Amino acid sequence: MEELIIRPEIALDQFLPIFVESTLVLVFGVGYAAIITLAKMGYFSKKWMPVGYLFWALQTYFLYDFAMLIQSNHFTVKVLMVTMLAYLFIPHLYFYLISAADERYEDNDETVQDTK
């Protein structure tokens, strides 16, 4: 006998709000990543970073609301919110590791170039 997973049906009148909110999650997520990345790389002023954090907050809100609209269980919502906290810190960790690696191997590049 096969096990059947029973999920609640999504009402047809909820399709547009679900579609719009899932699109906003993607848009604000890309906006957050782009603004933080460009500010860390120096293409934007550091004054733009609060706008990036605003995009992250909006993305988190719309992801939570999206999870409520599709009737996700509580565990899934908690996992999504923990993932959003990780998404807040991962760009900073990435740039810290890149800059630490650059500082560590900067001296080695000069000695290798001198021997050629």
Side-chain angles (χ1 to χ4, degrees):
M1 180 176 210
E2 280 186 44
E3 288 190 34
L4 182 63
I5 299 174
I6 300 174
R7 299 230 355 122
E9 291 292 323
I10 296 173
L12 291 176
D13 61 337
Q14 290 295 314
F15 176 77
L16 185 60
I18 289 171
F19 180 78
V20 168
E21 290 202 13
S22 62
T23 302
L24 289 174
V25 168
L26 293 173
V27 168
F28 287 127
V30 169
Y32 165 70
I35 290 172
I36 295 298
T37 301
L38 293 173
K40 289 272 189 182
M41 291 174 66
Y43 291 109
F44 284 175
S45 170
K46 296 283 186 187
K47 294 177 184 178
W48 280 92
M49 289 186 75
V51 175
Y53 295 127
L54 175 66
F55 275 35
W56 175 83
L58 289 169
Q59 179 191 18
T60 304
Y61 168 76
F62 283 114
L63 182 64
Y64 178 79
D65 202 33
F66 170 73
M68 293 295 110
L69 284 175
I70 63 170
Q71 302 170 7
S72 295
N73 61 19
H74 295 294
F75 177 74
T76 305
V77 173
K78 288 178 185 177
V79 168
L80 288 173
M81 293 301 109
V82 168
T83 304
M84 288 307 299
L85 282 176
Y87 187 57
L88 177 64
F89 295 110
I90 285 174
H92 298 288
L93 176 64
Y94 174 77
F95 283 105
Y96 169 75
L97 292 174
I98 293 296
S99 63
D102 282 345
E103 289 174 9
R104 180 177 179 187
Y105 294 110
E106 205 169 70
D107 295 332
N108 292 343
D109 288 342
E110 292 172 1
T111 58
V112 169
Q113 290 174 357
D114 290 340
T115 59
K116 288 184 181 180

